[in-house]
Amino acid sequence: MAPAAARSLLLLLCLAVAATAGVLQARAQPDSIGFISIDCGLPGTASYVDDATKLAYVPDAAFIDAGTNHNISAEYMTPTLSKRYHNVRSFPDGVRNCYTLRSIVAGLKYLLRATFKYGNYDNLARPPIFDLYIGVNFWTMVNVTDAGSAIILEAIVLVPDDFVQVCLVNTGSGTPFISGLDLRPLKSTLYPQANATQGLVLYARLNFGPTNSTAIIRYPEDPHDRVWIPWVNTAAWNSVSTTLRVEDIADDDMFEVPTKVLQTAVTPRNASGNIEFSWDPEPQPKDPTPGYVANMHFSELELLPGNAARQFYVNLNGKPWYPKPYKPMYLISDTIYNSNPGRGFPHYNISINATANSTLPPMINAVEVFSVIPTTKVGTDSQDVSAITAIKAKYGVKKNWMGDPCVPKTLAWEGLTCSYAISSPPRITSLNLSFSGLNGDISSSFANLKAVQYIDLSHNNLAGSVPDSLSQLSSLTVLDLTGNKLSGSIPSGLLKRVQDGSLNLRYGDNPNLCTNGKSCQATKTKSKLAIYIAVPVVLVVVIVSVAVLLLCFCRRKKQGPTSNSVKPQNETTVSHAPAPSAGGGSYPQSSLQLENRRFTYKELEMITDSFQRVLGRGGFGYVYDGFLEDGTQVAVKLRSDSSNQGVKEFLAEAQTLTKIHHKNLVSMIGYCKDGDYMALVYEYMSEGSLQEHISGNGRNTGFLSWRQRLRIAMESAQGLEYLHKGCSPPLIHRDVKAANILLNAKLEAKIADFGLTKAYRDDDTHMSTNTLVGTLGYVDPEYHATMQPTTKSDVYSFGVVLLELVTGRPAILRDPEPTSLIQWARQRLARGNIEGVADPRMRGDHDVNSVWKAADVALKCTAQASAHRPTMTEVVAQLQECLELEEARASGGDASGGYYAGGGPYSGYNAYAADGQSTDVSQTSTGFEVEHNFERVPTMPTGPAAR
Ligand SMILES: *[C@@H]1O[C@H](CO)[C@@H](O)[C@H](O)[C@H]1NC(C)=O
Ligand SMILES: *[C@@H]1O[C@H](CO)[C@@H](O)[C@H](O)[C@H]1NC(C)=O
Ligand SMILES: *[C@@H]1O[C@H](CO)[C@@H](O)[C@H](O)[C@H]1NC(C)=O
Ligand SMILES: *[C@@H]1O[C@H](CO)[C@@H](O)[C@H](O)[C@H]1NC(C)=O
Ligand SMILES: *[C@@H]1O[C@H](CO)[C@@H](O)[C@H](O)[C@H]1NC(C)=O
């Protein structure tokens, strides 16, 4: 009786693990081109298409759970007013209110744009002043000076997490509100001045000499949807233009100015004059002397005769800004920019003058000016943030739970205590949710607050059982569950912690909880367990650990139709064969009944028509095509009799296959152990291996679409997740590779070849450290170094398979010399070059964000240190998001494919351009260094750059 009970306990543990896996929140996602375009305060759930850009704007409800919607007052509702400004969301409550934009790629650069039009929506005629933050870093003050004009603020920042928050902070000068919020992804090579510690805040982005002086250029002419404001000053400048295409200077141009912007330029009206413009610094309360960077974009638009030359100097405040004469290139874009912000000038006067021997006047095509902001403040540990965010969502906690949980200290979430170390992100150390009206069960997310010492959930309405995962919180010293409606028993892990004195567990006043001696009103299915648990604690602990040591056990899944069609003929089990050792130490004998058929060699001959058709060759012999009596097609793997080496692995595989049942693992129909002959009979996978599909060799010539690839990745990941999580102890496949992922007629993926699969026990000191197994290109470097495989070794190999799916390339590239695919992809992705990585055979027919995300997951899986790799459960969740992104695109929800002419009026846009004239300001310009798009040579730290 005791072992049986112990096993059902184990089964419950297995199920508990499985239940936490792969839960996904349906939240608003970026669209197929990675854009998020939000109309704040738009009621309802319907999105609409913007007239000018043909981009779809969505309501904001999915991005924020606070604030109220208002229409602007009728007097400001002019006929041409962009729909985005018709309504606002305002935040009368709470100091900080934040929008959360999810499903973005950690470590990439993003353009964020927030718009504000007050329009007297509150009938108070009192425009507010408030602060805007990107996550925990100050972005800018929003000073709404009049009700009628729109304020458009833009920042370019590197986002460290896979989400970013934009927060409005009430500074006591009126109620914050917002009209619109946009997010646009940028390659990491763009805007080199934006990096992990420095963000850019747009001051002006101007297009000189446009042919239509009122037409703003943005998406789709600018694929990044930057907004280029026309700047025409006919009194001072002549316009020049071309209809020819202006090319980027290089594939990885750092600015990617749209050709339409570069096709126009200005020259001084007076041919011997200079081009002059200027800006004044805008001090902020938090930064009285902001630093500025400028990007000046040039391209020669006229084909110059041999004796003509256009050469000029670019000066700032009368001193050379760029140290040499500059000569724009014909129809090629180039940019002069400074990396180190210039600071402390009362004015910034730019003057562009021709060199003495230039025959043509100076010119300029476009300019961007930014102030810089530090982005050095770090938010709370991201794992803590995900956990507490999930807890907030599950219980609908309101309080002041907005923005970062711990930062700044003054706005830390009510009920949380955080630790603030100097060198690492803040951690959540205590959580008090007592008397908070919590309903439902205890979230598994509590167990992800890895640094928490104190959890108080007392006096709520929590029901269900107490999760044992809480016992894994090594810092947890107090867990107060008093006064809830919890049921079941206190799990063994927690009891152990109580026994060894490391945990103070309070669980009084939970009438349905079974505790020492108390009887239990558990449901019928749980009664056996409950009775068992009622015996003294020490005994439970002992039996559980014995059970863990002895049993190798997997969660059962529904059987496929193939196994139902075969009746067992022979009750003999393979576990009577000598226990294998090389493949898995020694597998304990399974007490499970085998449902597999045993074949004789003669039967196999009949099934395969005397081994006529070879499907492939596995590690231990050929695989043949065959048909059972009832017509079911099967694959028969016959152990090659030429060598004895495979016997152990062969038996190991047979043993493993009898225990595992999952739709994404190849299932075994039967086996043969007939004298020296050994064979395994599997379900038939008509589409062969993933490797054949990726290489384009083999039977299959059609290329897999991105969606098919994602499904295959997802299904393979689920198969591995089952081995890792659904089996106790976890099974490690040890030879995950594209050749071991098989596809059936419906292109459903199943993991095959369990010859090297091994049970993994944390506490097993006898883990054999004999031979390194696996396949070149897929082997985890840490396993290689330690000879100790873990589930993370499979994660590593899976990451390589995922990269193969993204790139369509093999694990080891041979051209020109052997390189690992990981290294190849990592280098390109680091430069933001997703196009250069994605399989060209997909012909760009895929959601870019989805491919980015998948590539990102692959890189995380292949992290050098196994601790940095995700678990298969996390991989499954991430791939699910990739699939959703791709499916959203495939279902054709927006206008990403089409191109539309004309920029359209951008109502209410403040052109912040000032046609300043030069004045003589004597100011040294050291420290205002300039670089050049054309050359990547770093400049000297003390003076202007040399070309
Ligand atoms: C807001 O703008 C107005 C008008 O430009 C200015 O007078 C005021 O000082 C500004 N407020 C702050 C706090 O900077
Ligand atoms: C970001 O750029 C600034 C200015 O060039 C530089 O001082 C800083 O070190 C850079 N930060 C990183 C992380 O590269
Ligand atoms: C143009 O600028 C350069 C560099 O600042 C300066 O040396 C030169 O005198 C200027 N030439 C004219 C004609 O203004
Ligand atoms: C013009 O003069 C500059 C130096 O001022 C020199 O670098 C350049 O080569 C000259 N260009 C021509 C076309 O003579
Ligand atoms: C210039 O652009 C505006 C706004 O897009 C448009 O209404 C107007 O028709 C354009 N004019 C010409 C001459 O193309």
Side-chain angles (χ1 to χ4, degrees):
M1 170 183 158
R7 202 185 311 144
S8 58
L9 182 73
L10 253 182
L11 178 62
L12 284 187
L13 292 180
C14 278
L15 290 175
V17 168
T20 61
V23 185
L24 255 158
Q25 273 180 292
R27 287 301 295 247
Q29 302 264 3
D31 67 15
S32 63
I33 44 174
F35 287 13
I36 297 179
S37 312
I38 305 173
D39 184 336
C40 302
L42 180 68
T45 55
S47 57
Y48 63 85
V49 172
D50 175 63
D51 287 341
T53 57
K54 303 291 184 264
L55 291 170
Y57 278 81
V58 298
D60 59 353
F63 301 91
I64 191 154
D65 55 9
T68 49
N69 295 353
H70 300 273
N71 287 335
I72 61 166
S73 129
E75 57 183 307
Y76 294 101
M77 201 81 96
T78 55
T80 55
L81 183 63
S82 162
K83 189 160 160 46
R84 199 126 69 114
Y85 297 116
H86 290 194
N87 33 45
V88 302
R89 185 178 286 265
S90 82
F91 302 97
D93 300 319
V95 174
R96 174 173 62 176
N97 285 281
C98 302
Y99 281 82
T100 306
L101 311 182
R102 290 171 209 279
S103 287
I104 62 176
V105 179
L108 267 201
K109 280 177 197 168
Y110 285 88
L111 182 157
L112 284 164
R113 187 161 47 216
T115 60
F116 307 85
K117 187 189 180 81
Y118 172 59
N120 199 19
Y121 75 89
D122 53 3
N123 289 314
L124 296 173
R126 214 182 297 143
I129 298 176
F130 51 93
D131 282 349
L132 210 55
Y133 281 76
I134 298 172
V136 295
N137 286 291
F138 178 74
W139 173 356
T140 186
M141 179 184 72
V142 184
N143 182 354
V144 184
T145 48
D146 77 289
S149 49
I151 297 177
I152 300 180
L153 301 171
E154 180 192 305
I156 293 175
V157 289
L158 193 147
V159 173
D161 300 304
D162 60 0
F163 68 94
V164 64
Q165 293 194 312
V166 174
C167 301
L168 295 87
V169 174
N170 190 326
T171 51
S173 306
T175 301
F177 73 92
I178 185 165
S179 307
L181 186 59
D182 294 338
L183 171 124
R184 310 287 182 240
L186 299 175
K187 288 187 237 179
S188 40
T189 43
L190 288 181
Y191 293 96
Q193 301 110 323
N195 61 24
T197 54
Q198 175 172 289
L200 304 179
V201 172
L202 186 66
Y203 184 88
R205 178 178 289 125
L206 301 164
N207 175 22
F208 288 101
T211 39
N212 182 340
S213 62
T214 59
I216 281 161
I217 294 175
R218 56 179 293 192
Y219 187 82
E221 279 86 0
D222 187 335
H224 305 298
D225 192 27
R226 288 165 292 187
V227 176
W228 299 85
I229 305 294
W231 197 3
V232 176
N233 180 346
T234 46
W237 304 325
N238 287 331
S239 294
V240 287
S241 69
T242 180
T243 53
L244 299 174
R245 216 189 131 65
V246 179
E247 302 291 343
D248 286 344
I249 192 163
D251 282 347
D252 50 353
D253 187 296
M254 287 187 277
F255 299 96
E256 296 188 349
V257 179
T259 196
K260 185 146 181 216
V261 169
L262 293 165
Q263 276 171 335
T264 64
V266 294
T267 59
R269 199 165 184 89
N270 169 1
S272 59
N274 303 337
I275 296 174
E276 295 183 340
F277 57 93
S278 67
W279 69 89
D280 290 339
E282 283 187 331
Q284 294 261 336
K286 287 197 161 59
D287 189 0
T289 55
Y292 287 89
V293 296
N295 306 326
M296 296 188 199
H297 308 295
F298 300 97
S299 172
E300 178 60 74
L301 303 179
E302 292 171 44
L303 188 54
L304 306 184
N307 56 355
R310 191 191 310 274
Q311 259 187 335
F312 47 79
Y313 293 101
V314 182
N315 307 299
L316 170 71
N317 294 339
K319 306 269 172 170
W321 185 55
Y322 185 68
K324 289 179 151 191
Y326 178 74
K327 186 173 165 187
M329 289 170 281
Y330 181 57
L331 297 183
I332 292 179
S333 78
D334 190 16
T335 301
I336 292 181
Y337 67 96
N338 63 310
S339 283
N340 280 351
R343 214 179 273 276
F345 300 97
H347 305 286
Y348 292 78
N349 292 319
I350 298 291
S351 158
I352 306 177
N353 73 352
T355 61
N357 57 8
S358 177
T359 63
L360 290 166
M363 72 181 299
I364 184 166
N365 307 55
V367 66
E368 293 170 285
V369 177
F370 298 89
S371 61
V372 299
I373 49 168
T375 55
T376 42
K377 286 217 171 76
V378 285
T380 307
D381 174 82
S382 61
Q383 204 188 0
D384 282 1
V385 172
S386 329
I388 198 77
T389 306
I391 290 167
K392 175 189 165 186
K394 178 172 170 107
Y395 301 110
V397 182
K398 286 280 194 285
K399 306 187 190 253
N400 70 338
W401 285 28
M402 268 286 181
D404 189 274
C406 303
V407 182
K409 275 183 200 175
T410 50
L411 292 179
W413 292 4
E414 214 176 288
L416 297 191
T417 313
C418 304
S419 65
Y420 300 89
I422 294 162
S423 55
S424 56
R427 301 296 307 251
I428 296 171
T429 54
S430 93
L431 171 58
N432 181 350
L433 280 173
S434 62
F435 297 101
S436 297
L438 309 187
N439 289 303
D441 57 0
I442 296 181
S443 165
S444 57
S445 300
F446 287 108
N448 293 331
L449 291 170
K450 296 291 186 208
V452 78
Q453 298 161 10
Y454 176 95
I455 299 179
D456 186 350
L457 302 176
S458 63
H459 306 290
N460 287 296
N461 303 314
L462 294 169
S465 54
V466 179
D468 195 30
S469 50
L470 293 173
S471 67
Q472 301 300 313
L473 294 173
S474 54
S475 310
L476 186 66
T477 55
V478 176
L479 175 60
D480 194 342
L481 305 173
T482 312
N484 281 290
K485 297 175 179 156
L486 297 166
S487 56
S489 48
I490 306 291
S492 58
L494 282 175
L495 286 176
K496 219 182 208 170
R497 291 280 307 273
V498 173
Q499 293 246 313
D500 69 19
S502 64
L503 177 69
N504 178 353
L505 176 66
R506 301 170 195 155
Y507 50 80
D509 198 10
N510 278 284
N512 298 329
L513 203 59
C514 325
T515 49
N516 295 351
K518 242 198 248 173
S519 71
C520 228
Q521 291 100 49
T523 56
K524 199 165 180 225
T525 49
K526 286 180 187 161
S527 61
K528 202 201 249 177
L529 177 66
I531 291 163
Y532 178 66
I533 281 296
V535 307
V537 172
V538 179
L539 183 60
V540 178
V541 171
V542 168
I543 290 172
V544 168
S545 42
V546 167
V548 168
L549 283 176
L550 291 188
L551 281 178
C552 174
F553 192 84
C554 290
R555 192 155 44 90
R556 301 236 7 146
K557 275 269 180 166
K558 269 192 249 119
Q559 288 288 292
T562 41
S563 53
N564 293 336
S565 66
V566 183
K567 265 193 88 182
Q569 285 186 340
N570 189 323
E571 294 303 323
T572 317
T573 68
V574 270
S575 54
H576 293 164
S581 58
S586 61
Y587 266 122
Q589 306 276 306
S590 168
S591 55
L592 288 175
Q593 281 290 316
L594 290 182
E595 290 169 18
N596 300 293
R597 170 173 172 181
R598 181 167 182 175
F599 294 92
T600 62
Y601 184 70
K602 230 180 162 51
E603 281 173 311
L604 289 187
E605 272 185 336
M606 278 167 59
I607 287 169
T608 60
D609 195 10
S610 300
F611 305 102
Q612 283 276 318
R613 207 163 86 81
V614 174
L615 290 174
R617 195 189 148 84
F620 312 118
Y622 286 101
V623 181
Y624 300 92
D625 191 10
F627 289 91
L628 299 181
E629 310 87 313
D630 65 355
T632 309
Q633 195 169 5
V634 294
V636 178
K637 178 156 117 182
L638 186 67
R639 194 184 68 80
S640 157
D641 48 6
S642 62
S643 103
N644 246 347
Q645 279 186 337
V647 177
K648 284 169 183 171
E649 288 83 356
F650 205 88
L651 289 170
E653 174 161 20
Q655 291 253 328
T656 303
L657 279 168
T658 61
K659 293 187 201 80
I660 55 181
H661 303 273
H662 187 274
K663 66 178 170 47
N664 301 120
L665 302 177
V666 162
S667 60
M668 180 170 83
I669 290 173
Y671 62 95
C672 164
K673 170 104 175 57
D674 189 349
D676 285 343
Y677 293 112
M678 291 185 198
L680 294 177
V681 181
Y682 306 93
E683 63 178 312
Y684 183 73
M685 301 293 284
S686 62
E687 288 300 305
S689 77
L690 177 59
Q691 186 182 41
E692 293 168 41
H693 281 264
I694 289 174
S695 66
N697 297 334
R699 285 162 282 167
N700 310 290
T701 45
F703 297 120
L704 297 169
S705 69
W706 177 237
R707 186 181 175 172
Q708 286 169 327
R709 291 176 202 221
L710 276 176
R711 288 196 159 276
I712 290 166
M714 174 83 185
E715 289 165 354
S716 321
Q718 284 170 331
L720 285 175
E721 187 201 12
Y722 169 81
L723 290 179
H724 295 173
K725 285 290 187 87
C727 295
S728 181
L731 296 180
I732 310 170
H733 186 283
R734 294 206 297 174
D735 199 13
V736 175
K737 56 181 172 181
N740 280 343
I741 293 173
L742 303 183
L743 305 173
N744 69 12
K746 288 189 266 176
L747 285 180
E748 289 164 342
K750 299 183 188 231
I751 307 244
D753 208 334
F754 300 89
L756 299 172
T757 300
K758 195 167 171 58
Y760 173 68
R761 297 188 179 83
D762 273 335
D763 53 352
D764 191 349
T765 50
H766 302 294
M767 190 77 179
S768 58
T769 56
N770 46 8
T771 41
L772 181 81
V773 299
T775 302
L776 197 65
Y778 294 90
V779 179
D780 169 12
E782 206 171 274
Y783 168 39
H784 196 186
T786 61
M787 301 300 279
Q788 194 86 349
T790 65
T791 51
K792 293 290 182 76
S793 317
D794 282 352
V795 172
Y796 183 92
S797 311
F798 179 79
V800 179
V801 173
L802 191 53
L803 275 184
E804 289 181 80
L805 282 165
V806 169
T807 62
R809 289 163 197 269
I812 304 234
L813 301 170
R814 303 257 169 230
D815 200 22
E817 52 191 53
T819 318
S820 85
L821 177 59
I822 301 172
Q823 197 186 351
W824 182 89
R826 210 173 271 282
Q827 281 169 355
R828 278 161 182 77
L829 290 169
R831 296 203 304 264
N833 183 1
I834 190 75
E835 294 90 339
V837 170
D839 188 348
R841 291 173 297 182
M842 297 192 288
R843 290 196 206 85
D845 187 17
H846 52 71
D847 178 79
V848 174
N849 246 35
S850 171
V851 177
W852 254 121
K853 199 172 170 71
D856 190 50
V857 172
L859 292 191
K860 288 194 173 114
C861 288
T862 53
Q864 280 288 316
S866 63
H868 295 154
R869 296 175 208 152
T871 63
M872 283 317 297
T873 306
E874 286 158 348
V875 171
V876 167
Q878 295 286 312
L879 289 174
Q880 179 67 38
E881 284 188 35
C882 295
L883 198 54
E884 280 166 16
L885 286 174
E886 173 62 11
E887 288 185 343
R889 181 198 69 98
S891 64
D894 74 292
S896 63
Y899 267 66
Y900 301 88
Y906 197 70
S907 309
Y909 202 102
N910 286 343
Y912 10 49
D915 56 339
Q917 297 298 312
S918 71
T919 49
D920 269 335
V921 177
S922 51
Q923 181 86 33
T924 57
S925 67
T926 52
F928 205 68
E929 298 154 30
V930 175
E931 282 172 47
H932 198 283
N933 200 1
F934 192 38
E935 298 176 0
R936 305 291 154 70
V937 188
T939 56
M940 304 293 288
T942 51
R947 192 164 170 201

